[in-house]
């Protein structure tokens, strides 16, 4: 029993010494690892310091890839209105196809009238360039823009007419714009006299009637135009006469023009007090009509219509003869004596036609003789 107890105690002592030795070895190993880790960290920190100082010494060369990349903005999502606002502030001739498409999309989804006006203004300015005229048509933009002819806001309708007016400079676009002529005429008839709305509508009709192709759409509008002529201011009178001169330059339109109702007060415009710009176009309009020679039978039928343009301006009983004689002594030098010529064209947009090129003095004399 005694020997076995001694043996047991010796075994326990060895186990204890083993544990102590193991713990010491573990601690020594930990210290070794810890010391090595600290040494590596110090070395790494030193390297980072050197690398940082080297980076600070690097200078970004202008025009380099690094310079370009460092100047780029972070791309993030923005609402359509914000993007459209950026596009609006760009120059019209710098707009890309995707910009035009985005503006048309914003125009359809926007609800603020002021935003619509700004977008329409931008599209209208862009439409001054042929490439944009074609792109807007290809994006179905004419239909989208023309829809705002019925917008409740007056300013939106004005900007719509201005945009369509520029788009109308393109012959292919006219094929789509002609569909909206009835609405444009309705705006002229229903809008306040001398308003920007009427002026914008007349500008559009002027461009649309430059060629003979779409003039027939205005056959029923001659009475409206003549009525507007006697109640409007100078600017509107000039624009109205541009349309009438265009129509009267087409022989196929004369029959419809002379049958239209005309207010007797239109004769009062043949007066020295009438603005020269109005008077010159008015005389060209009459000169175009006087070039038309109806048969005796047709003239007799037209004469029976008391308020018809033929009876008011072209018949032998008209006051036109005496009023034209007074204009031969007009105080304006251009009207009184100087010969003048003018012609229709997009470049001048003066409303005169090729067939309406008349020397003024010859125009007066020929009209007086025929009367």
């Amino acid at each position: 029993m005694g020997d076995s107890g001694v043996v047991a105690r010796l075994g326990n002592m060895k186990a204890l010494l083993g544990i102590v030795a193991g713990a010491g070895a573990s601690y020594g190993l930990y210290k070794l690892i810890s010391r090595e880790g600290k040494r590596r960290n110090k070395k790494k920190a030193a390297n980072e310091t050197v690398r940082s100082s080297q980076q600070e010494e690097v200078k970004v060369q202008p025009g380099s890839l690094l310079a370009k990349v460092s100047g780029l903005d972070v791309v993030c999502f923005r609402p359509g209105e914000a993007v459209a606002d950026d596009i609006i502030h760009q120059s019209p001739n710098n707009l890309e196809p995707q910009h035009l498409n985005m503006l048309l999309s914003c125009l359809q989804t926007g609800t603020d009238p002021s935003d619509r006006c700004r977008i329409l203004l931008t599209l209208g300015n862009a439409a001054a360039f042929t490439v944009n005229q074609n792109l807007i048509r290809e994006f179905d933009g004419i239909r989208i823009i023309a829809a705002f002819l019925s917008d409740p806001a007056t300013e939106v309708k004005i900007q719509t007419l201005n945009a369509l007016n520029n788009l109308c400079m393109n012959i292919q676009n006219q094929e789509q714009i002609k569909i909206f002529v009835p609405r444009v005429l309705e705006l002229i008839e229903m809008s306040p006299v001398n308003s920007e709305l009427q002026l914008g509508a007349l500008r559009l009709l002027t461009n649309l009637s430059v060629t003979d192709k779409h003039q027939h759409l205005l056959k029923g509008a001659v009475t409206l135009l003549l009525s507007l002529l006697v109640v409007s201011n100078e600017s509107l009178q000039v624009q109205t006469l541009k349309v009438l001169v265009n129509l009267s330059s087409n022989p196929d339109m004369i029959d419809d023009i002379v049958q239209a109702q005309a207010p007797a007060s239109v004769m009062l415009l043949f007066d020295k007090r009438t603005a020269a710009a109005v008077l010159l176009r008015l005389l060209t309009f009459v000169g175009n009509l006087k070039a038309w020679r109806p048969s005796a039978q047709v003239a007799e039928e037209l004469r029976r219509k008391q308020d018809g343009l033929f009876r008011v301006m072209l018949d032998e009983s008209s006051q036109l003869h005496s009023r034209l004689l007074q204009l031969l002594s007009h105080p304006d030098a251009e009207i009184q004596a100087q010969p003048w010529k003018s012609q229709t064209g997009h470049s001048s947009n003066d409303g005169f036609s090729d067939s309406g090129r008349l020397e003024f003095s010859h125009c007066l004399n020929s009209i007086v003789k025929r009367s």
Side-chain angles (χ1 to χ4, degrees):
M1 289 292 294
D3 293 337
S4 61
V6 172
V7 172
R9 284 196 296 271
L10 288 174
N12 292 337
M13 183 64 71
K14 289 180 179 180
L16 180 60
L17 290 174
I19 293 172
V20 171
S26 298
Y27 178 75
L29 181 61
Y30 164 77
K31 292 290 289 182
L32 180 63
I33 294 174
S34 177
R35 190 181 300 113
E36 181 65 20
K38 289 181 179 180
R39 186 176 63 82
R40 289 180 179 178
N41 288 338
K42 289 181 180 179
K43 184 177 181 180
K44 182 178 180 181
N47 291 338
E48 290 292 338
T49 302
V50 173
R51 188 179 297 112
S52 176
S53 62
Q54 289 176 345
Q55 288 178 347
E56 290 176 356
E57 294 175 358
V58 175
K59 294 183 179 180
V60 179
Q61 297 298 324
S64 65
L65 179 60
L66 179 59
K68 293 179 180 179
V69 174
S70 63
L72 293 178
D73 294 331
V74 177
V75 178
C76 60
F77 174 80
R78 291 183 297 168
E81 289 79 2
V83 178
D85 189 66
D86 289 346
I87 298 174
I88 286 172
H89 288 88
Q90 294 189 35
S91 176
N93 60 337
N94 290 334
L95 294 181
E96 299 291 337
Q98 65 269 21
H99 296 151
L100 296 173
N101 204 5
M102 182 173 292
L103 287 174
L104 290 170
S105 177
C106 291
L107 185 61
Q108 291 178 285
T109 58
T111 57
D112 188 352
S114 62
D115 289 341
R116 288 178 179 173
C117 286
R118 291 194 303 157
I119 294 174
L120 286 167
L121 176 61
T122 302
L123 288 170
N125 290 337
F129 301 91
T130 303
V131 62
N132 292 334
Q133 293 169 359
N134 293 327
L135 285 171
I136 291 174
R137 181 185 68 251
E138 292 167 3
F139 291 148
D140 196 26
I142 294 177
R143 179 191 61 81
I144 294 172
I145 292 172
F148 292 94
L149 289 173
S150 300
D151 194 276
T154 299
E155 188 60 31
V156 171
K157 289 194 283 281
I158 292 173
Q159 294 300 334
T160 299
L161 288 167
N162 292 340
L164 290 175
N165 184 39
N166 281 347
L167 288 168
C168 195
M169 306 291 278
N170 185 302
I171 299 299
Q172 289 179 281
N173 288 348
Q174 290 183 5
E175 292 298 323
Q176 295 185 25
I177 294 175
K178 69 179 183 181
I179 301 173
F180 305 100
V181 167
R183 176 56 182 159
V184 175
L185 291 173
E186 184 181 356
L187 288 175
I188 294 175
E189 186 173 6
M190 302 302 295
S191 301
V193 178
N194 298 326
S195 63
E196 285 295 319
L197 204 52
Q198 284 187 331
L199 191 59
L202 287 168
R203 288 195 187 106
L204 176 57
L205 294 182
T206 300
N207 282 336
L208 195 61
S209 63
V210 166
T211 64
D212 297 350
K213 191 170 185 180
H214 306 301
Q215 290 177 350
H216 66 280
L217 299 172
L218 300 177
K219 285 183 178 180
V222 177
T223 296
L224 172 63
L225 296 173
L226 291 172
S227 300
L228 188 61
L229 193 60
V230 299
V231 297
S232 56
N233 59 22
E234 180 181 343
S235 297
L236 222 66
Q237 286 176 331
V238 168
Q239 204 64 50
T240 301
L241 282 165
K242 286 181 179 181
V243 180
L244 288 172
V245 169
N246 282 347
L247 298 181
S248 64
S249 69
N250 182 359
D252 294 335
M253 288 291 297
I254 300 297
D255 286 347
D256 296 283
I257 294 175
V258 297
Q259 294 182 62
Q261 289 182 329
S265 55
V266 72
M267 298 306 302
L268 299 177
L269 293 175
F270 293 91
D271 188 272
K272 295 179 181 180
R273 292 168 294 184
T274 300
V278 175
L279 198 51
L280 292 175
R281 288 172 173 83
L282 186 61
L283 289 166
T284 303
F285 174 60
V286 174
N288 287 344
L289 296 180
K290 282 289 186 177
W292 174 72
R293 291 290 189 172
S295 64
Q297 182 180 357
V298 171
E300 184 60 31
E301 292 179 0
L302 292 172
R303 196 172 288 116
R304 293 172 185 170
K305 192 174 182 179
Q306 295 289 333
D307 58 352
L309 183 144
F310 180 85
R311 180 70 178 267
V312 173
M313 297 181 67
L314 305 178
D315 191 34
E316 295 177 355
S317 60
S318 171
Q319 300 177 19
L320 184 64
H321 177 79
S322 59
R323 288 190 169 274
L324 290 179
L325 288 176
Q326 296 175 15
L327 292 178
L328 290 174
S329 59
H330 195 281
D332 187 283
E334 184 179 10
I335 294 179
Q336 182 185 25
Q338 292 183 7
W340 60 274
K341 293 182 180 181
S342 56
Q343 62 185 29
T344 295
H346 283 300
S347 58
S348 62
N349 195 27
D350 56 11
F352 294 109
S353 62
D354 290 339
S355 62
R357 298 178 187 177
L358 299 173
E359 184 173 329
F360 183 66
S361 58
H362 173 69
C363 173
L364 279 179
N365 290 330
S366 62
I367 293 174
V368 170
K369 290 178 181 178
R370 290 172 186 167
S371 298

